[in-house]
Amino acid sequence: MKILLSGGAGFIGSHTYVELINAGHEAVIVDNLYNASEKVLERLAEITGKPVVFCNADVADKAALSAIFAQHQFDAVIHFAGYKAVGESVAKPLEYYRNNLDTTLTLCECMREAGVSRIVFSSSATVYGALDTMPLEETMVSAGCTNPYGWTKYMNERILLDTAAALPGWSVALLRYFNPIGAHESGRIGEDPVGIPNNLMPYITQVASGKRDHLSVFGDDYDTHDGTGVRDYIHVVDLAKGHVAACEYLKDHQGAEIINLGTGTGYSVLDLVNAFQRVNDIEVPYVITDRRPGDIATCYADPTKAKTLLGWQAEKTLEDMCRDSWRWQSGNPNGYRD
Ligand code: WQD
């Protein structure tokens, strides 16, 4: 298959690119590099041994995107492009709604005009909101999102569900990510947050590398086994393979499916810190601080549907995630800015 990767230069997109090539597919990356480095393209060529087809464009730019669709005969689209910082979305809701919805609407219009009818969307477990029944299962009704970023994911799911219902022949997979961490085994691509990391693993690796003094553990008074927050961490390479499986599923199926991409196992903040220290034989100093507003105690997936429908399940362990995250960070102390 020939796949368009919107936002394909980012953390998940770049790892998905590698797995698509490994699986014998062709891929074209469309990215405006707002939240990604052009250096990742060199790394992808190095890892795959093939030149990367890259279009520097804003996915919300209809003229630019139409020209790209005219240039290539795509079999499917994987849509990653969008702003993704929860805290930033609270401060800048208009920018988040404008960008995250415009990219999706423009993409769908270009697909319809070009006769491309398969799309995999990068959704998130955040759309479940503050449900406290675990594990989370795709048929559960959202408790309501807790930030504009989450609502843009929710609204994009709605746009794609309604489009699949209205347009004959469309196939849609809405992939709800849990907590992607880790990096490609080469250590040449990985998570490269700009500024102070919002997420746990990049913060841990920056403490381990000496870039940050210590980790703040946001609360140890949750109703969990050790009081710290529990999440379903999934290796980014497993997540990437889930996208390949979803693309191949869409070849033979029409309609829309919502699918969790998680391991089904929850680990606490301290479980992750301790695993990271043990696997990498490196200390990660931390202090317990107040809870982060908006955080929930526990969140992990029921991954049954992905196994049944896609024949996919996560295979990498928490130790693999810690080892691969550190290899990326230690080999690239300033990410792609080295
Ligand atoms: C994980 C745990 C924190 C940082 C977010 C988004 C979600 C998705 C993944 C995009 C929690 C604790 C964290 C730190 C800490 N992103 N923590 N100290 O909040 O589960 O999910 O990222 O789709 O949409 O909401 O991930 O990594 O921020 O937090 O103690 O410095 O680590 O309290 O328990 P989260 P996270």
Side-chain angles (χ1 to χ4, degrees), residues 110-130:
C110 287
M111 286 174 63
R112 180 174 57 182
E113 289 159 18
V116 178
S117 58
R118 302 184 187 104
I119 181 168
V120 175
F121 174 61
S122 168
S123 191
S124 167
T126 201
V127 305
Y128 287 108

Side-chain angles (χ1 to χ4, degrees), residues 86 124 149 179 198-200 216-218 231 233 292 295:
V86 170
S124 167
Y149 161 76
N179 287 61
N198 298 305
N199 297 135
L200 180 59
S216 296
V217 175
F218 297 147
R231 297 292 184 275
Y233 296 100
R292 180 171 63 178
D295 273 356

